[in-house]
Amino acid sequence: MIYDPVHECMPVEKMRELQLERLQKIVAYAYEKVPFYRKKYDEAGVKPSDIKCLEDIRKLPFTVKSDLRDNYPYGLLAVEKTKLKRIHASSGTSGKPTVVCYTDHDMEVWSDCCARLAAAAGVNGDDIVQVSFGYGLFTGALGMHQGCEKLGAAIIPASSGNTERQVMLLKDLEATVLVCTPSYALYIGEIMEKLGYSKKDLKLRIGLFGSEASTEEMHREIAKKLGIFTNDNYGLSELIGPGVSGECTEKCGMHINEDHFYPEVLNPETFEPVPDGTYGELVLTSLTKEGMPVIRYRTKDITALDHSPCKCGRTTVRMAKLRGRTDDMLIIRGVNVFPSQIEGVLMNMPEVGGQYEITVYREGYMDKLEVRVEVADGSYLTDFNKLEALRQKIKHNLRTVLQIDAIVKLVEPLSLKRYEGKSKRVTDLRKI
Ligand code: DLL
């Protein structure tokens, strides 16, 4: 079902007109209401009236995460605090969180955007949706909750954690849709099997997964375990939370709600736009945000755009599954390595399970890459020859993709740490 055909299927020319109109408005609005933008634009010698076409967006300076942190908590507000309806925050890795604020209008846009992505994955009013994201300041749970509610679905606000109970709820309450991180979905699948259930004991049909990077291979693994259609959806607190983009049932990229978010994909060194299909850093501009407009936000997320028509009928531009973030790319002995490449290799090998950990450290002057992965079948661990053959096979496959050697350690099933929210699979000891 297409939730908002007027905007999701708008002729491209009309969409560009709408975006320009909204861009001019939001830049003027931010300049007038938020001293931070006025100062920044004055220093750069650019005025709202300089935005005459969409390409003129490039005249505007970027906004970065530290701008939000430096203006903690309310420095970037464009409205009086009394106009706010909701305040969320993203947990920063250090220090103060990044605070994000929503007016009534922003809440409406947010739930519409989440409703769009849920509908695009096939969710409808008859569904029972278990939200297994942590409820709280994190935008994931309440954002998806509101979006699915808007479609008329029933919500089970399970929150994350207590995974055995999650399985019980899925089964007993006959949930048809699961909302969580892809790594948590995999974990739920493992616990389901451990408890002696199979996908046949559940009524699940769709998984709405986001908030962390996941490869096609991982989605295939989850789809197999839980017997569901898996959707990948993307968003970030600074812009709205979930609802920036999501896959339709064609699964050929995530449709961006481009009437609300203007995307640019730039070469991270030159800041020049890259052509469709070329990966670069995603820079997003909120076109309609009232409480806290965010203009040219450098997400650090690496993706590529696709403007080709989609079979689903939506005309909105699509972004590729994220390849990672500019700050999670590892440089090992001079070679660029993305954790997603390692995941892709491991998930393609049925002999290993879905969980892995990556550690990078230095021995003398030499960078070492260690990959710990669980064997799918514990009996491997008692047969040295079989184990060694598998280890060599993983090493070989990793070398083919990464062009460097990795130290591979095989560990018992269910022995690595599981995450109930965003997973943390990489430790770079060189930076600690
Ligand atoms: O994770 C918002 C969200 C919640 C999106 C639920 C989708 C579902 P933050 O906590 O601010 O917001 O984290 C944003 O998470 O910049 C990406 O690096 C990463 N991320 C989000 N979705 C995806 C995805 C939410 N589908 C940061 N694939 C972003 C890969 C994702 N990475």
Side-chain angles (χ1 to χ4, degrees), residues 62-133:
F62 295 115
T63 306
V64 293
K65 179 110 180 163
S66 58
D67 291 328
L68 272 79
R69 241 186 258 127
D70 295 346
N71 287 284
Y72 175 86
Y74 290 128
L76 296 182
L77 271 195
V79 297
E80 294 294 327
K81 282 193 274 305
T82 49
K83 271 202 87 180
L84 296 181
K85 279 284 138 65
R86 180 76 67 73
I87 299 165
H88 279 276
S90 91
S91 52
T93 38
S94 59
K96 302 270 192 209
T98 312
V99 173
V100 287
C101 303
Y102 304 74
T103 62
D104 239 348
H105 162 269
D106 297 333
M107 291 298 294
E108 199 59 33
V109 170
W110 189 20
S111 47
D112 276 346
C113 286
C114 291
R116 285 187 197 179
L117 79 87
V123 178
N124 64 50
D126 295 340
D127 277 306
I128 299 180
V129 181
Q130 181 156 324
V131 180
S132 303
F133 275 134

Side-chain angles (χ1 to χ4, degrees), residues 203-260:
K203 293 256 162 49
L204 270 188
R205 58 183 202 98
I206 297 172
L208 303 177
F209 302 133
S211 186
E212 66 177 7
S214 54
T215 53
E216 291 293 357
E217 290 83 359
M218 182 163 182
H219 275 243
R220 274 206 294 275
E221 183 76 20
I222 302 170
K224 201 168 79 194
K225 256 195 177 24
L226 295 176
I228 54 175
F229 170 79
T230 66
N231 147 286
D232 189 4
N233 64 81
Y234 166 83
L236 64 169
S237 326
E238 291 83 346
L239 266 293
I240 194 169
V244 172
S245 65
E247 284 177 331
C248 65
T249 47
E250 298 296 324
K251 264 184 115 49
C252 56
M254 297 184 273
H255 287 274
I256 300 179
N257 288 316
E258 54 176 343
D259 48 330
H260 297 296

